[in-house]
Amino acid sequence: MAKLDSVPAPTLRRFPNYLTLLKQHLQDGQSHISCTHIAQDLDMTAIRVRKDLEMTGVVGRPRVGYPILPLVEAIEQLLGWNEPSRAILVGAGNLGSAIIGYAPLGQMGLKIMGIFDNDAHKIGTRIQGQTVLTTEQMPEMIRNHSIDIGILTVPEKVAQEVADSMVSAGLSAIWAFTPRPITVPEGVVVERVQLAASLAVLMGRMLEEDRRVPARAG
Amino acid sequence: MAKLDSVPAPTLRRFPNYLTLLKQHLQDGQSHISCTHIAQDLDMTAIRVRKDLEMTGVVGRPRVGYPILPLVEAIEQLLGWNEPSRAILVGAGNLGSAIIGYAPLGQMGLKIMGIFDNDAHKIGTRIQGQTVLTTEQMPEMIRNHSIDIGILTVPEKVAQEVADSMVSAGLSAIWAFTPRPITVPEGVVVERVQLAASLAVLMGRMLEEDRRVPARAG
DNA sequence: GTCACACTGTTAACCGAATCACACTGTAGA
DNA sequence: TCTACAGTGTGATTCGGTTAACAGTGTGAC
Ligand SMILES: NC(=O)c1ccc[n+]([C@@H]2O[C@H](COP(=O)([O-])OP(=O)(O)OC[C@H]3O[C@@H](n4cnc5c(N)ncnc54)[C@H](O)[C@@H]3O)[C@@H](O)[C@H]2O)c1
Ligand SMILES: NC(=O)c1ccc[n+]([C@@H]2O[C@H](COP(=O)([O-])OP(=O)(O)OC[C@H]3O[C@@H](n4cnc5c(N)ncnc54)[C@H](O)[C@@H]3O)[C@@H](O)[C@H]2O)c1
């Protein structure tokens, strides 16, 4: 039985990796897999894999490993990927369009029910078969279709404002791609995708590497 | 004087947040800022801010705070954002195009010197004023222009293969947007932007929240 | 049947980052 | 000049996650 304890964020972050690997092995006809095998496939330690899988409540058998199908189902349940969550996207710009067109989100339980923008040139056009609606229609759709997740890809300046109107319409989670933090009331979950943070780590590590090995002439 | 110790990744990740805030205050004409002020602006604790700023080596004064300009310069130096790093992007698809068009990357020391794809329909077209080149030309450009960073936005299937050819041409860092991990030789830095991981955290936390408060009827 | 051992489950040790507590400092104000 | 105190700097503590150590177990081999 799956634990109801809260799953650590690092583990949540690794779950998708396990999922893709497990599904692949499932398709190859395997029914069980050991954590040592998973570990070397994903370039991590077996212990960490075991600890992560422990969160699912699925028990493995010595010399056999874990049953793959129950694992997949347990992880998907912990992530809520077993049944679709209704989402909307606001800000049909460059990034927004890329996300809308990213098919794998469907496998992650994300169902984009509406796309909104406030640019007159974009409203009414179609992106991946979905018509772009005006921002004014957003609260109504959130309420009528009990939307759970708002994907925020508007310019930084209006991000807080749009987030506010999402929340007041009843959204419970926001997936924000804007560089600045946004504030929301208690109970609403915000997850930010910080591209700048990722780049900072990359370049910081790069400099360190250069510092260790006196860079090749440039 | 800036420490040469390695900066913890969590701190690196927060640096960009400080930078945007600091630059904004600088533009408002302020010369100093206290960590308590920064903390409440970014919704974090003052202690964490102080510890992070400690890495820069900049010293603050009681009742006055830290001098903003030196802080900005120190952080940019630690991130390598003070002088442009040459980069190329491979995979001029939806996501790749969005990244190319994302102006703020310029402020982060990233200079995209070339765009590559292997789709005959895309080669020769222009994205944001830059012509898309064939993948065959990539190693040559990496060598001739001593490119440091490769931005990887190709489909998952060919990601490893493209990464390999980047590395063998002499790249020292890869910014990968592909869902599966890629392996590189020692000394090459890889930073992955994992959208799925971010979504997993969002939805996992959402479920937890629902579990705590027995969700509104749906 | 029984033996070996690959693999699991669990408790303990470890480590790095976040947080705390508090002494120190030098400015602003009286 | 003196005082109060906002704000820094630092050593000590806590915490969460990772890693290690090891006992337990049931499968597969013979
Ligand atoms: N493009 C990238 O690669 C990238 C990367 C990281 C983060 N981001 C962030 O994502 C956001 C969008 O980036 P982008 O490159 O797609 O910009 P963009 O300008 O292409 O798209 C923004 C869209 O939002 C719409 N919009 C503006 N105000 C609105 C409002 N009040 N209500 C609804 N829609 C509104 C605009 O009409 C436009 O279509 C920005 O905050 C940016 O910082 C972008
Ligand atoms: N679109 C998104 O929102 C999104 C989000 C997260 C991750 N990703 C990942 O980013 C990558 C690209 O996604 P996308 O949506 O832009 O896909 P896309 O199909 O729009 O773009 C991929 C591009 O790569 C090119 N390409 C294919 N093989 C190549 C090769 N061997 N050499 C050079 N170029 C090649 C294609 O011609 C195409 O232009 C994928 O790995 C995807 O998983 C995309």
Side-chain angles (χ1 to χ4, degrees):
Chain A
M1 179 187 306
K3 298 194 180 185
L4 289 185
D5 268 4
S6 89
V7 181
T11 298
L12 283 178
R13 261 191 281 276
R14 284 187 294 267
F15 272 165
N17 293 343
Y18 298 137
L19 264 188
T20 54
L21 182 71
L22 291 174
K23 282 180 173 174
Q24 181 180 311
H25 280 267
L26 204 58
Q27 252 181 348
D28 292 351
Q30 300 173 32
S31 67
H32 290 71
I33 190 170
S34 77
C35 69
T36 55
H37 190 193
I38 295 178
Q40 70 184 35
D41 255 33
L42 295 179
D43 192 29
M44 49 196 297
T45 75
I47 307 154
R48 203 156 56 165
V49 175
R50 245 190 352 262
K51 271 280 194 278
D52 283 344
L53 298 190
E54 190 188 334
M55 299 302 306
T56 65
V58 175
V59 295
R61 291 207 318 253
R63 285 192 80 95
V64 174
Y66 298 86
I68 299 183
L69 193 53
L71 261 192
V72 169
E73 285 170 348
I75 293 177
E76 286 189 333
Q77 190 174 345
L78 282 174
L79 294 178
W81 289 7
N82 51 340
E83 50 186 33
S85 297
R86 286 177 290 277
I88 58 166
L89 183 145
V90 184
N94 289 322
L95 185 59
S97 301
I99 291 173
I100 294 165
Y102 191 50
L105 290 184
Q107 322 281 287
M108 306 178 197
L110 209 63
K111 196 172 176 191
I112 299 182
M113 309 284 291
I115 306 171
F116 301 90
D117 206 299
N118 74 344
D119 181 346
H121 294 103
K122 283 184 178 155
I123 291 164
T125 64
R126 295 183 145 253
I127 299 180
Q128 303 285 332
Q130 291 199 48
T131 307
V132 178
L133 306 173
T134 71
T135 314
E136 282 79 33
Q137 300 171 269
M138 186 191 72
E140 189 190 331
M141 168 166 272
I142 292 179
R143 271 186 282 265
N144 291 354
H145 293 74
S146 59
I147 304 290
D148 293 314
I149 300 175
I151 307 175
L152 198 57
T153 54
V154 297
E156 178 183 346
K157 270 193 172 177
V158 297
Q160 182 65 56
E161 167 193 340
V162 173
D164 288 344
S165 87
M166 281 176 167
V167 169
S168 67
L171 265 185
S172 55
I174 294 180
W175 199 19
F177 289 77
T178 52
R180 295 289 300 276
I182 60 177
T183 58
V184 295
E186 186 84 7
V188 176
V189 181
V190 175
E191 167 73 14
R192 288 174 61 207
V193 177
Q194 294 195 62
L195 223 59
S198 171
L199 186 61
V201 173
L202 178 75
M203 295 183 69
R205 291 274 166 269
M206 216 175 92
L207 286 187
E208 255 172 50
E209 204 69 28
D210 283 356
R211 215 173 288 137
R212 183 175 8 244
V213 184
R216 62 187 187 286
Chain B
M1 178 189 305
K3 298 193 179 184
L4 288 185
D5 269 4
S6 88
V7 182
T11 297
L12 284 178
R13 261 191 282 277
R14 285 188 294 265
F15 273 163
N17 294 343
Y18 298 138
L19 264 189
T20 53
L21 182 71
L22 291 174
K23 282 182 173 173
Q24 181 180 313
H25 281 267
L26 204 57
Q27 252 181 347
D28 292 352
Q30 299 175 31
S31 68
H32 290 71
I33 189 170
S34 77
C35 70
T36 53
H37 191 193
I38 295 178
Q40 70 185 34
D41 255 33
L42 294 178
D43 193 28
M44 48 196 301
T45 75
I47 306 152
R48 204 157 54 168
V49 175
R50 254 203 328 273
K51 272 279 194 281
D52 284 343
L53 298 190
E54 190 188 333
M55 300 301 306
T56 65
V58 175
V59 296
R61 292 210 315 256
R63 287 193 79 95
V64 174
Y66 298 85
I68 299 183
L69 193 55
L71 261 192
V72 169
E73 284 170 349
I75 292 177
E76 286 188 334
Q77 190 175 345
L78 282 173
L79 294 178
W81 290 7
N82 51 340
E83 51 185 32
S85 298
R86 286 176 289 278
I88 58 166
L89 183 143
V90 184
N94 289 322
L95 184 59
S97 301
I99 291 173
I100 294 164
Y102 190 50
L105 290 183
Q107 322 282 284
M108 306 178 197
L110 209 62
K111 195 171 175 192
I112 298 182
M113 309 283 291
I115 306 171
F116 301 90
D117 206 298
N118 73 344
D119 181 345
H121 295 102
K122 285 184 178 155
I123 292 164
T125 63
R126 294 184 146 253
I127 299 180
Q128 304 285 334
Q130 291 200 47
T131 307
V132 178
L133 306 173
T134 72
T135 314
E136 281 79 34
Q137 299 172 270
M138 186 191 73
E140 190 191 330
M141 168 166 273
I142 291 178
R143 271 186 282 265
N144 291 354
H145 292 75
S146 60
I147 304 290
D148 294 313
I149 301 175
I151 307 175
L152 197 58
T153 52
V154 297
E156 177 182 345
K157 268 192 173 176
V158 296
Q160 181 64 56
E161 166 193 339
V162 173
D164 288 345
S165 86
M166 281 176 168
V167 169
S168 67
L171 266 185
S172 54
I174 296 179
W175 199 20
F177 289 79
T178 52
R180 294 290 299 274
I182 61 178
T183 58
V184 295
E186 187 84 8
V188 176
V189 182
V190 175
E191 166 73 15
R192 290 173 60 207
V193 177
Q194 294 195 62
L195 223 60
S198 171
L199 186 60
V201 173
L202 177 75
M203 295 184 69
R205 291 274 167 270
M206 214 176 93
L207 286 187
E208 254 173 51
E209 202 70 30
D210 284 357
R211 216 173 287 136
R212 185 177 4 248
V213 185
R216 63 185 187 288

